[in-house]
Amino acid sequence: MTTHTDAPADHVGTRARLRDIYAAAHEQTLHPNALGWPGRPDERELDFISHVVYGRPGMAREGCAYLVKELAQLAEIERHLSAVFGIITAQLGADTSPISDGYDLHHALSCFAAEEYLHADFFYRYVRELADTDIKLADSLFSERLALYQGDDSPYVKLAAMCMAAYIGESVITVFEKRTAHLDPGREHFLTKLLWAHGMDEARHVQVDHVVLECIMPSFSEAEQRRAFEIFSGTEELNAELAGRFKQLIVDVFGVDHTVDNPAWDVQQSLTSVFRQAMTVTWPPSPVDERMDDETRKLLHEFAGTDRVHP
């Protein structure tokens, strides 16, 4: 196994940051059972979905198709992250780096993984209600995606690759959480409540990502940087294949292409490109809010009523 030999200069401060992120997590989370599931959305909820996705009424079916595809795909990606973090935390048992002293890193990653697994659970429940049918992908490439992280690389290399891949999607879904909150500040609609519940946990996940970007990745050797990018790129390629498979599934279920004349899809693609660039242009990668230009901030403000993705 390759080792991570250069610990962050302030490993005590890094562990303290991780400890603080999860200090009140038990008070700032919702179990899926606490969401008050309404069942199949009524006409009022469907109209809201139409406005969230298309910005106008009359597009509920297409809007549901878009949400089902994106959230089912996200559920698969979150489930994968949970499994990868299981590999990483198991490896930490043999790690002697100062950052893994005590419980802070292990605790943060364990909670992160547990929350993501619950997210996969409630997103899969939600898409079944939207579609009014089972949404199952026969082959989600799970084994192939997991295999990327089963080599003898350092747990920190794997953590960096996984966080880089996850951070892009986490940032995009945060923008959609802010859009629903902007359109529905009283959380009268279930979609708003669902994304708000997801966002309470996701805010902690993003903070962990920032710790990885700012405190762990800068100390990588050139070989570790290269491997992190290789695993990240492999993850991105398989996730793109996963997206294509989900798109075909949803076309089969709904009979519509959710990408046609869909302003939310267009915004998603634009932001994803910007957020991915934040992970690839510099070393270490930059938080997404540091990479946005004026045009992207304008798009963000018009779509979600905010000038920042993360606090």
Side-chain angles (χ1 to χ4, degrees), residues 175 266-267 269-275 277 288-309:
V175 171
D266 293 339
V267 169
Q269 294 305 293
S270 296
L271 293 178
T272 297
S273 177
V274 172
F275 298 163
Q277 189 177 55
V288 294
D289 286 290
E290 296 180 10
R291 295 294 308 179
M292 287 194 295
D293 57 21
D294 291 342
E295 182 179 350
T296 305
R297 290 194 186 280
K298 180 181 178 182
L299 176 66
L300 183 63
H301 185 82
E302 292 174 349
F303 187 70
T306 182
D307 295 321
R308 291 186 61 83
V309 180

Side-chain angles (χ1 to χ4, degrees), residues 50-156:
S50 179
H51 278 85
V52 168
V53 179
Y54 285 87
R56 63 183 191 273
M59 303 296 291
R61 183 171 182 79
E62 293 82 355
C64 286
Y66 171 68
L67 291 179
V68 169
K69 186 270 178 184
E70 294 301 325
L71 296 181
Q73 179 183 328
L74 180 57
E76 279 293 341
I77 291 172
E78 290 179 316
R79 181 157 54 192
H80 173 241
L81 183 149
S82 298
V84 169
F85 275 20
I87 293 173
I88 292 170
T89 52
Q91 282 187 257
L92 291 178
D95 182 61
T96 59
S97 301
I99 192 175
S100 68
D101 287 350
Y103 72 93
D104 300 312
L105 178 61
H106 189 280
H107 179 65
L109 299 185
S110 297
C111 289
F112 195 145
E115 290 161 357
E116 292 287 44
Y117 213 89
L118 289 179
H119 293 171
D121 176 43
F122 65 58
F123 279 143
Y124 260 134
R125 179 170 180 174
Y126 181 61
V127 300
R128 282 168 166 82
E129 294 190 352
L130 283 184
D132 199 26
T133 189
D134 244 357
I135 297 296
K136 293 180 179 179
L137 193 63
D139 183 3
S140 65
L141 301 169
F142 185 82
S143 296
E144 293 88 341
R145 290 183 287 136
L146 193 62
L148 293 170
Y149 297 84
Q150 291 178 318
D152 62 356
D153 299 286
S154 156
Y156 298 100

Side-chain angles (χ1 to χ4, degrees), residues 16-32:
R17 280 182 65 179
L18 293 169
R19 188 183 316 133
D20 290 345
I21 289 168
Y22 274 94
H26 58 294
E27 299 173 348
Q28 299 165 345
T29 191
L30 280 180
H31 190 277

Side-chain angles (χ1 to χ4, degrees), residues 46 49 76 98 126 131 182 206 236 255 303 309:
L46 290 172
I49 289 171
E76 279 293 341
Y126 181 61
H182 181 62
V206 166
E236 287 279 279
F303 187 70
V309 180

